[in-house]
Amino acid sequence: GQNIDQPTEMTATEGAIVQINCTYQTSGFNGLFWYQQHAGEAPTFLSYNVLDGLEEKGRFSSFLSRSKGYSYLLLKELQMKDSASYLCALMDSNYQLIWGAGTKLIIKP
Amino acid sequence: IAGITQAPTSQILAAGRRMTLRCTQDMRHNAMYWYRQDLGLGLRLIHYSNTAGTTGKGEVPDGYSVSRANTDDFPLTLASAVPSQTSVYFCASSDSNLGADTQYFGPGTRLTVL
């Protein structure tokens, strides 16, 4: 079967760096997505990794290790507007997304 | 219209009533999806459509039906609503589901079944 784990909640300080981890188990893999979801809003796409390594996009970076079933999202220079839930989702062998429950990130001044 | 729209924004419904949630996209995407999102759980796929005229069952299809008469519209129907269907419903679309295409989400419908 498939399983995705990510922390329920994290707290960080404005201006700091935070790393949100995601571990998964799957029999088929076509990549891993990260989405951001502000409270009461729709998820919006942040990043996609299919090969091992780090993908950098401005203040946000995403890392993947397929052999370890592990990904993380790294947020630098945190801003108050980064307070949101961050959703990890793996794309299975049928190109369907399997979603984690999300990590609620709280940014404090 | 830009992107995906959903209607209604929210609805309170009596148990046993029939309800159709509407979803329209103007990106000419082939694939469309319906998810429900419940507190503490990840998004769960209800039904999907790879292209107009075809539909498929997701992880939690029971109690729901869909149709895909054209590319733009993908309505979700609850034939006889039950309280366990209280949730936030998101419609999404992607260029195709034959590759790792990004899914884009509508604003959601918050449904309460009493």
Side-chain angles (χ1 to χ4, degrees), chain A residues 41-92:
Chain A
E41 297 183 7
T44 55
F45 169 75
L46 286 178
S47 68
Y48 169 68
N49 295 66
V50 66
L51 300 176
D52 290 352
L54 188 69
E55 295 278 344
E56 298 187 77
K57 192 184 296 185
R59 294 189 299 114
F60 292 9
S61 302
S62 56
F63 172 83
L64 176 67
S65 169
R66 289 172 296 172
S67 62
K68 295 182 179 179
Y70 169 68
S71 174
Y72 67 72
L73 182 68
L74 190 71
L75 291 75
K76 303 176 184 177
E77 302 169 13
L78 285 170
Q79 302 175 9
M80 297 304 293
K81 67 179 182 180
D82 298 330
S83 291
S85 289
Y86 292 86
L87 314 181
C88 172
L90 73 87
M91 182 158 276
D92 68 11

Side-chain angles (χ1 to χ4, degrees), chain B residues 35-82:
Chain B
Y35 292 95
R36 60 178 290 173
Q37 187 174 40
D38 302 291
L39 197 63
L41 299 177
L43 288 159
R44 292 183 292 170
L45 183 65
I46 304 170
H47 285 286
Y48 65 92
S49 169
N50 292 339
T51 188
T54 70
T55 62
K57 293 182 179 180
E59 178 186 355
V60 288
D62 294 343
Y64 306 95
S65 64
V66 292
S67 61
R68 186 89 183 276
N70 57 60
T71 298
D72 298 345
D73 301 300
F74 191 42
L76 176 74
T77 297
L78 290 67
S80 178
V82 295

